[in-house]
Amino acid sequence: MLTVNHDGVSVESDLAGGLLECPGCRGRLRPWGWARERLIRHGTGAGRFLLRHRPRRGRCAGCAATHVLLEAGLAARRADTAAVIAAAVEAKTAAGHGHRRIASWLGRPASTVRGWLRAFAASAVPIAEVFTALAHRDGADAAGLWPAPEPTPAGRALAAVTAYASVLAERFAVAALPWHSAGLAAAGPFFFSTGRWHGGVQHELALTPEIRGGKGEGSTG
Ligand SMILES: [Zn+2]
């Protein structure tokens, strides 16, 4: 599974043009049907709604593995959009709210929200390390992007991913990039899963995540 642009048209043209890379062997992915349809919960509170998503699938011309191409707004194995999960993480990390309060605000089961928060907290140390390194590597003047030091690992993780999102937004000349989009673009669809950060999911960090329709610039940019 890999994270791709949310614009289906650009994904099609990238697939057709052999521009998408196999996360296993870096071979070229070719169109290979569609993955199983999934029903995803969008929005929060009274603004909740369900949408069907049917991700494209690609097959590697090199190793023949097939990969689900998940759009950047969705996280692997989650029935809610990345924006909703991110809102829960922010409410916990920045505002200190408990999972029950967050769950009732979002209109989601408390156990689901607790699972998201635990996964993020359990992955916070490696997330902070990786995204701090990415922000320093890719940010020409990243110093100005860093907020005050955060007291908790989850706070440091959130700050690091947010700083990297600022670096990417500047680089791709977009007004703002949500931190969860930067997280998914760089770390892949399992960004919100503990397995991603503790050896369970192999996925190389994208060197130049695609933020808009076009391909990224050179990795050493
Ligand atoms: Zn491959």
Side-chain angles (χ1 to χ4, degrees):
M1 195 178 286
L2 67 157
T3 295
V4 296
N5 197 285
H6 68 275
D7 175 7
V9 175
S10 92
V11 171
E12 285 305 319
S13 82
D14 284 355
L15 259 183
L19 296 177
L20 295 178
E21 216 170 59
C22 172
C25 77
R26 320 208 92 169
R28 303 288 131 194
L29 295 182
R30 298 295 179 189
W32 195 255
W34 302 81
R36 177 178 58 82
E37 187 178 78
R38 51 205 77 189
L39 209 50
I40 301 292
R41 297 184 292 223
H42 290 247
T44 60
R48 279 170 299 163
F49 61 99
L50 286 169
L51 264 189
R52 294 179 190 284
H53 291 260
R54 197 164 183 222
R56 195 70 157 105
R57 208 168 46 189
R59 184 170 185 261
C60 178
C63 71
T66 60
H67 297 281
V68 173
L69 311 179
L70 207 60
E71 62 183 91
L74 304 182
R77 295 194 195 136
R78 297 285 189 245
D80 296 271
T81 62
V84 173
I85 300 169
V89 168
E90 283 174 34
K92 169 74 177 178
T93 306
H97 295 159
H99 75 271
R100 284 195 181 81
R101 180 172 173 183
I102 297 169
S104 86
W105 164 56
L106 294 175
R108 300 298 198 280
S111 60
T112 302
V113 172
R114 187 178 54 204
W116 300 340
L117 299 178
R118 283 183 174 171
F120 191 79
S123 315
V125 169
I127 288 176
E129 283 174 6
V130 164
F131 281 87
T132 298
L134 285 174
H136 282 303
R137 186 198 66 184
D138 293 348
D141 49 0
L145 303 168
W146 292 93
E150 291 285 335
T152 65
R156 286 190 285 277
L158 183 54
V161 184
T162 302
Y164 184 57
S166 304
V167 169
L168 290 182
E170 194 172 291
R171 181 169 183 172
F172 289 91
V174 292
L177 184 69
W179 65 270
H180 53 87
S181 300
L184 290 163
F190 290 93
F191 172 72
F192 283 111
S193 302
T194 49
R196 167 68 183 84
W197 302 102
H198 297 280
V201 178
Q202 297 300 318
H203 189 297
E204 280 186 49
L205 282 172
L207 288 176
T208 51
E210 289 178 60
I211 301 305
R212 302 183 296 169
K215 300 293 293 181
E217 299 149 31
S219 62
T220 54

